[in-house]
Amino acid sequence: MSTVRIEPLLHHYRRQKPSHRSPPSKHPLKLSSSFTAFPKKLVVSNGRSFCNFQPPSLRVRAASTDTATVETSEFADAFYKETFPLKRTEAVEGKIIVKLDNGKDAKNWVLTVGCNLPGKWVLHWGVNYVDDVGSEWDQPPSEMRPAGSVSIKDYAIETPLKESLSPVGGDTSHEVKIDVTSSAIAAINFVLKDGETGAWYQHRGRDFKVPFVGYSQDDDNVVGATKALGAWPGTLGKLSNVFVKAESSISQDQDSSGESRDPQQKTMRLEGFYEELPIAKEIAVNNSVTVSIRKCPETTKNLLYLETDLPDHAVVHWGVCRDGTKRWEIPAAPHPPETVVFKDKALRTRLQKKEAGNGCFGLFTLEEGLAGFLFVFKLNETMWLNCVGNDFYIPLLGSDNSISVQREVQSEDAQVPDRSTETNFTAYTDGIINEIRNLVSDVSSEKSQRKRSKEAQETILQEIEKLAAEAYSIFRTTVPTLLEEIIAETEVVKVAPAKICSGTGTGFEILCQGFNWESSKSGRWYMELKSKAAELSSLGFTVIWFPPPTESVSPEGYMPRDLYNLNSRYGNMDELKETVKVFHDIGMKVLGDAVLNHRCAHYRNQNGVWNIFGGRLNWDDRAVVADDPHFQGRGNKSSGDSFHAAPNIDHSQDFVRKDIREWLCWLRNDIGYDGWRLDFVRGFWGGYVRDYIDASEPYFAVGEFWDSLSYTYGQMDRNQDAHRQRIVDWINATNGTCGAFDVTTKGILHAALERCEYWRLSDEKGKPPGVLGWWPSRAVTFIENHDTGSTQGHWRFPNGKEMQGYAYILTHPGTPTVFYDHIFSHYQSEIAALISLRNRNKLNCRSRVKITKAKRDVYAAIIDEKVAIKIGPGHYEPASGPQNWNKSLEGRDYKVWEAS
């Protein structure tokens, strides 16, 4: 949608005192207090290695006659040794520095924004002009934009902070200076973005604001106001050194009239200031743990030595098991020093600090006959460390010394890096794995293939993918394996058969966006679509995306008010039903554009704020999130980013979710929609979307998760993993029931085609660099839509290169979407030919890509060994081999071949 006026802002992250400062990880994790371990032979631990296994000598005196004196140096003959890398995050603290000085000309100003933490910092900013009404941002004049600045839509600028040569405040590592040369600028608004993690930093939950002409004391996000005006209460401290004076004209007016104005209405002007504001950033920290086991020659017991470079306050939570069920038991004494029993289920041992001071260790004496040693780490009350979502399990019986670790299960195309601690639902996931194996055996057996129809086999494949996505969701959660409050005996979890409604179709869909930004102006758009239904079907489209159907404050439909009123600028409800039926009659599915993030109110509250709703869903201000000051909601805090033009709906409220579920089911049953395009899904948690998908059972669903890619000094970064990770995380929060538009792929195509940098179309592993390279069955690819193109043009695809873009998305995996304006243009015949080729070769959302060339001027790939494609001005011909390649299509800077 097009009415978003500022970029999304993530919540502040909880600060904690770090024990040390470590450099940021090359691939930073999401900010979290969770940990993940991956078993490997190689030790990676901040430069320290424990592979030599020569810890400080430790003597343990037997507590009974059958416990021998042990020297840890004797572990050289260990029959088992394994090292596990441990990944966690830690907070470091720094400061944001904001400084306002006079420029070279006394009438001008220089605003300096800096940060003393390392990172790829970007200033996301815009201005208010003197005559502006409201608080929306505008872009500054070109002369104010520092070098390397990039325009964001039509309202903001992103400028990278550069390493400071003359640091502000003495320790700033990065800064940017903005010369304010125009007297028309009333204020600069900004937020700070961490390009490494995608995190955004605000001021008191709102944008930073630096005024130049005047401000009201109501603007509590103003930087540079004095304590006398009440502008600096709260946690930011009293660090300001600000010089402010009232306009002389105000004083003179007050003196002459004898009247005092409301102090909140005083107009103030900043002369200059220097502010320091605290900031906390999570960084990745790599640790390791090494476990060795040997037999005690005197007692034949197992001696297990555990050492790690974790902080010396680490506690190991441990037990043993006697068989393959991995059921925790407390072993017989003796136990290490500082060991206590925890709820009769496990033992807790504080590890001993090494003499050298680097890490800690523990020595455990274990009786014969045990199958395994189980443990997890606890660093504090909220931070646990386990192994890929499971307990660490060290085998004690038999000659098989391999680590028994239950691996993550996910759909074969969901190649997503592990970045968080997963929950241990062993019984549940074992059941899912068995279901997947049975389904795979069923669908692959020759007898089954003869009996089952193609549709039935596709249904089974959908079930397999849904179960894999469910397992993936379990492993991605951040609940520690052993919560103190709920430790209980292991028992088999009985899980009811899951109802399959993946919302991802068959995998062979080709979408048509059935409108543009001007479509609402016709007043009868549904009837126009109805007249084009047969033509769209003949072109090969299987799904059409309709515009938002509800009554709306904006004519385009993206500011909905009464959700049950379907008389819109596109037509009335009867016309909508009639058009949906026509598309069904010719075999096409219809997606409705559902705006669930926000809703415009009908009435004002007692404070004059628009947050009371009418119509059938007559919600009050409890339905509005509490952390948007513009609309004074009484709900809970938002679970996503704010959309500032309308009240953001609080989906955590039971009554809200119930009403939305019923509304979606009504649209499915009464109107006939087959699925959803979900608007601005960054605004609320994907778990709520799962609830709505489960209730409405769509054939297909796709969410719009659109935020900025990563840039450095105005140039797009080669690695966009952080960007696509955010999209994949949202898809995963829906439990894989909903796809998402592959904004990453669109952005990379922009850079590759605009700058003749086709090497960008291959990531570091030789795979497509967008969401379609990690989770293609959930990636909905596109090159243009009503926001990016049409008459808005917020992010228009490179002119004249549209067919290269369509040649890419219509031959590659993912579900391709074609924009209405391009269908009914001179591109129609070429698009139709590509759609026909896709269908003829049965390319689908899970097709396999082999990238054969990614150079400066050409990109080439082979898809499913059936289709070869090249885009770019450079030369490429597919190599002869098992296939003979025949050229099928050729256009401006693209060619497509088919295997004969």
Side-chain angles (χ1 to χ4, degrees):
M1 57 186 300
S2 70
T3 49
V4 181
R5 303 303 299 179
I6 70 169
E7 285 295 304
L9 302 169
L10 301 181
H11 296 297
H12 285 295
Y13 305 112
R14 177 179 56 80
R15 297 202 313 271
Q16 62 185 29
K17 186 71 173 178
S19 58
H20 66 282
R21 295 174 181 250
S22 300
S25 169
K26 182 178 180 182
H27 301 292
L29 304 180
K30 290 283 185 183
L31 299 184
S32 170
S33 61
S34 59
F35 310 100
T36 308
F38 302 88
K40 292 183 182 178
K41 293 291 182 182
L42 178 65
V43 182
V44 181
S45 59
N46 289 336
R48 295 187 293 273
S49 174
F50 296 94
C51 291
N52 58 13
F53 213 74
Q54 295 178 351
S57 179
L58 169 69
R59 185 178 298 275
V60 177
R61 186 64 58 185
S64 61
T65 57
D66 59 352
T67 302
T69 299
V70 180
E71 293 286 347
T72 61
S73 59
E74 297 175 8
F75 274 81
D77 61 345
F79 66 79
Y80 172 91
K81 182 183 294 185
E82 188 74 29
T83 298
F84 301 82
L86 310 176
K87 294 184 179 181
R88 60 192 182 95
T89 59
E90 214 169 61
V92 294
E93 294 183 350
K95 56 191 175 183
I96 297 173
I97 296 168
V98 185
K99 182 182 180 183
L100 185 66
D101 294 307
N102 284 114
K104 296 179 180 179
D105 187 329
K107 297 180 180 180
N108 298 337
W109 297 98
V110 176
L111 176 66
T112 304
V113 179
C115 181
N116 70 341
L117 290 180
K120 293 171 61 176
W121 296 103
V122 177
L123 191 73
H124 184 91
W125 63 287
V127 301
N128 297 130
Y129 288 98
V130 171
D131 296 329
D132 281 352
V133 177
S135 58
E136 293 184 350
W137 293 17
D138 286 304
Q139 288 190 342
S142 57
E143 63 270 16
M144 277 183 61
R145 306 178 189 183
S149 296
V150 176
S151 295
I152 303 298
K153 298 186 179 180
D154 60 351
Y155 62 86
I157 297 292
E158 284 195 349
T159 304
L161 274 65
K162 297 183 179 180
E163 189 169 349
S164 175
L165 298 177
S166 55
V168 176
D171 60 354
T172 302
S173 58
H174 297 81
E175 70 174 26
V176 63
K177 294 179 181 290
I178 299 172
D179 292 318
V180 185
T181 58
S182 172
S183 60
I185 303 299
I188 289 180
N189 306 283
F190 68 89
V191 291
L192 198 61
K193 176 183 176 182
D194 183 353
E196 292 179 336
T197 65
W200 299 75
Y201 295 86
Q202 293 175 285
H203 179 32
R204 301 177 180 173
R206 299 176 62 187
D207 310 329
F208 292 85
K209 181 175 183 178
V210 178
F212 295 96
V213 173
Y215 68 93
S216 167
Q217 291 184 48
D218 290 336
D219 294 332
D220 60 359
N221 60 330
V222 167
V223 181
T226 60
K227 187 174 69 172
L229 292 175
W232 288 104
T235 60
L236 290 180
K238 301 181 175 77
L239 302 172
S240 59
N241 179 17
V242 187
F243 303 94
V244 183
K245 69 178 181 180
E247 293 283 2
S248 59
S249 59
I250 297 176
S251 301
Q252 293 170 2
D253 290 344
Q254 289 178 345
D255 291 341
S256 61
S257 65
E259 298 177 357
S260 62
R261 292 177 54 181
D262 183 344
Q264 291 191 356
Q265 299 302 317
K266 284 186 178 181
T267 302
M268 313 298 290
R269 187 179 68 188
L270 297 176
E271 288 190 341
F273 64 84
Y274 171 82
E275 281 294 337
E276 294 181 358
L277 311 175
I279 183 175
K281 176 182 177 180
E282 296 282 350
I283 62 170
V285 179
N286 294 322
N287 297 106
S288 69
V289 56
T290 298
V291 179
S292 292
I293 310 173
R294 65 180 290 269
K295 285 287 185 182
C296 175
E298 300 176 15
T299 65
T300 69
K301 290 188 175 185
N302 288 318
L303 301 177
L304 184 147
Y305 182 80
L306 181 153
E307 70 170 344
T308 176
D309 60 344
L310 288 171
D312 56 21
H313 58 267
V315 171
V316 63
H317 193 101
W318 64 284
V320 297
C321 62
R322 299 185 181 277
D323 52 40
T325 63
K326 302 178 185 177
R327 177 175 175 175
W328 284 57
E329 295 183 15
I330 295 178
H335 301 144
E338 296 192 59
T339 296
V340 296
V341 177
F342 181 73
K343 296 191 176 181
D344 297 325
K345 299 296 179 185
L347 295 173
R348 278 189 173 172
T349 300
R350 181 175 295 280
L351 297 179
Q352 305 297 305
K353 184 177 180 180
K354 291 184 181 180
E355 292 180 2
N358 295 323
C360 48
F361 66 92
L363 183 64
F364 304 83
T365 303
L366 306 173
E367 61 188 290
E368 290 186 278
L370 299 176
F373 178 83
L374 302 119
F375 70 96
V376 293
F377 287 108
K378 180 184 179 184
L379 295 189
N380 57 43
E381 292 304 315
T382 59
M383 295 187 182
W384 294 74
L385 180 83
N386 58 22
C387 182
V388 195
N390 298 283
D391 312 326
F392 287 97
Y393 176 71
I394 309 300
L396 299 174
L397 290 178
S399 58
D400 181 8
N401 295 331
S402 63
I403 293 298
S404 176
V405 176
Q406 184 175 350
R407 293 287 187 174
E408 177 175 342
V409 180
Q410 63 186 45
S411 63
E412 62 180 355
D413 61 4
Q415 301 170 20
V416 184
D418 299 294
R419 296 176 63 176
S420 60
T421 302
E422 290 83 4
T423 310
N424 182 19
F425 293 128
T426 304
Y428 191 6
T429 51
D430 281 346
I432 291 176
I433 294 168
N434 290 332
E435 285 188 61
I436 292 174
R437 285 173 178 158
N438 293 336
L439 288 167
V440 170
S441 299
D442 187 25
V443 77
S444 61
S445 69
E446 184 176 348
K447 181 178 179 181
S448 172
Q449 288 180 3
R450 289 198 301 267
K451 287 185 176 182
R452 292 184 181 274
S453 66
K454 177 183 176 182
E455 291 76 14
Q457 293 187 34
E458 287 178 351
T459 300
I460 292 176
L461 290 173
Q462 289 182 47
E463 293 184 20
I464 292 172
E465 188 162 70
K466 173 65 182 294
L467 289 166
E470 210 171 321
Y472 173 64
S473 177
I474 291 169
F475 283 109
R476 295 274 300 173
T477 55
T478 58
V479 181
T481 302
L482 287 172
L483 289 175
E484 297 183 17
E485 297 78 11
I486 58 171
I487 289 183
E489 292 193 13
T490 306
E491 59 183 9
V492 177
V493 179
K494 296 181 179 179
V495 182
K499 188 173 183 179
I500 305 301
C501 56
S502 69
T504 56
T506 65
F508 292 86
E509 286 73 25
I510 301 176
L511 269 66
C512 156
Q513 180 175 0
F515 63 99
N516 60 29
W517 193 246
E518 301 299 312
S519 298
S520 62
K521 294 181 179 178
S522 77
R524 54 186 307 275
W525 188 251
Y526 295 140
M527 294 295 97
E528 294 188 31
L529 281 180
K530 175 184 171 183
S531 68
K532 291 180 170 62
E535 181 180 4
L536 290 169
S537 177
S538 69
L539 291 172
F541 293 105
T542 62
V543 181
I544 183 169
W545 158 21
F546 273 28
T550 56
E551 177 214 6
S552 170
V553 171
S554 64
E556 297 80 16
Y558 289 101
M559 299 283 282
R561 192 162 63 167
D562 185 352
L563 298 186
Y564 278 91
N565 182 352
L566 301 189
N567 297 316
S568 71
R569 301 290 182 89
Y570 299 101
N572 59 43
M573 186 166 71
D574 291 336
E575 292 171 338
L576 172 59
K577 285 184 176 181
E578 182 181 345
T579 305
V580 170
K581 183 179 183 303
V582 167
F583 277 97
H584 285 170
D585 290 343
I586 60 173
M588 290 182 65
K589 304 290 186 182
V590 178
L591 303 185
D593 201 325
V595 183
L596 305 181
N597 174 75
H598 51 273
R599 182 183 172 196
C600 293
H602 292 71
Y603 313 106
R604 303 186 188 196
N605 68 1
Q606 64 273 18
N607 298 325
V609 176
W610 294 89
N611 61 13
I612 307 298
F613 305 92
R616 182 166 165 181
L617 303 182
N618 54 346
W619 301 333
D620 60 15
D621 53 3
R622 292 173 301 157
V624 180
V625 297
D627 48 354
D628 186 344
H630 297 93
F631 296 104
Q632 299 181 8
R634 291 194 295 123
N636 297 310
K637 288 186 176 181
S638 174
S639 58
D641 302 325
S642 292
F643 175 78
H644 294 288
N648 287 235
I649 299 304
D650 179 11
H651 292 264
S652 70
Q653 302 285 2
D654 290 340
F655 72 90
V656 168
R657 292 200 309 279
K658 175 179 178 294
D659 285 346
I660 291 178
R661 288 194 299 265
E662 291 177 354
W663 178 64
L664 292 173
C665 290
W666 175 73
L667 290 176
R668 285 275 281 134
N669 299 328
D670 284 33
I671 307 304
Y673 284 123
D674 300 290
W676 317 116
R677 181 268 186 184
L678 301 175
D679 183 67
F680 198 75
V681 295
R682 286 202 327 266
F684 54 103
W685 178 47
Y688 300 132
V689 172
R690 177 187 177 182
D691 185 20
Y692 303 143
I693 297 294
D694 288 345
S696 60
E697 299 183 355
Y699 166 83
F700 191 90
V702 55
E704 180 209 28
F705 193 102
W706 181 7
D707 67 353
S708 297
L709 282 77
S710 299
Y711 294 84
T712 300
Y713 303 128
Q715 303 299 317
M716 179 180 288
D717 294 345
R718 167 72 182 269
N719 189 318
Q720 295 293 334
D721 285 355
H723 186 267
R724 59 175 167 174
Q725 182 70 55
R726 293 193 292 274
I727 298 175
V728 164
D729 286 344
W730 180 84
I731 298 171
N732 178 58
T734 75
N735 203 31
T737 59
C738 185
F741 286 111
D742 192 348
V743 180
T744 314
T745 291
K746 173 176 167 64
I748 293 170
L749 280 170
H750 272 249
L753 274 59
E754 277 180 332
R755 304 174 61 85
C756 198
E757 296 175 343
Y758 290 85
W759 48 264
R760 291 183 179 274
L761 294 173
S762 176
D763 69 11
E764 295 175 351
K765 296 183 179 180
K767 296 183 178 181
V771 177
L772 69 87
W774 276 357
W775 206 343
S777 69
R778 301 303 189 271
V780 179
T781 53
F782 72 109
I783 70 166
E784 207 78 289
N785 63 28
H786 60 291
D787 282 332
T788 65
S790 189
T791 55
Q792 295 198 95
H794 288 322
W795 194 24
R796 200 178 300 280
F797 202 76
N799 185 38
K801 302 180 186 294
E802 290 87 353
M803 285 313 305
Q804 288 188 62
Y806 281 124
Y808 182 91
I809 69 172
L810 286 169
T811 58
H812 279 58
T815 301
T817 306
V818 182
F819 182 42
Y820 182 89
D821 289 5
H822 294 158
I823 298 169
F824 295 99
S825 73
H826 62 283
Y827 295 133
Q828 185 180 104
S829 60
E830 291 181 85
I831 291 172
L834 285 166
I835 293 175
S836 176
L837 180 142
R838 184 180 182 90
N839 290 332
R840 186 165 62 247
N841 290 277
K842 296 182 172 57
L843 303 184
N844 58 78
C845 72
R846 300 173 184 84
S847 290
R848 298 299 174 189
V849 178
K850 178 183 178 182
I851 297 175
T852 55
K853 194 171 186 179
K855 301 296 184 182
R856 182 188 63 82
D857 60 349
V858 65
Y859 164 86
I862 296 175
I863 299 90
D864 283 349
E865 301 297 328
K866 299 176 182 178
V867 172
I869 177 182
K870 83 95 180 178
I871 60 175
H875 175 75
Y876 172 80
E877 294 286 336
S880 299
Q883 306 99 331
N884 290 320
W885 295 102
N886 298 320
K887 186 171 68 175
S888 296
L889 299 172
E890 183 174 1
R892 181 180 175 185
D893 289 337
Y894 76 89
K895 289 183 183 180
V896 186
W897 296 262
E898 292 180 84
S900 59

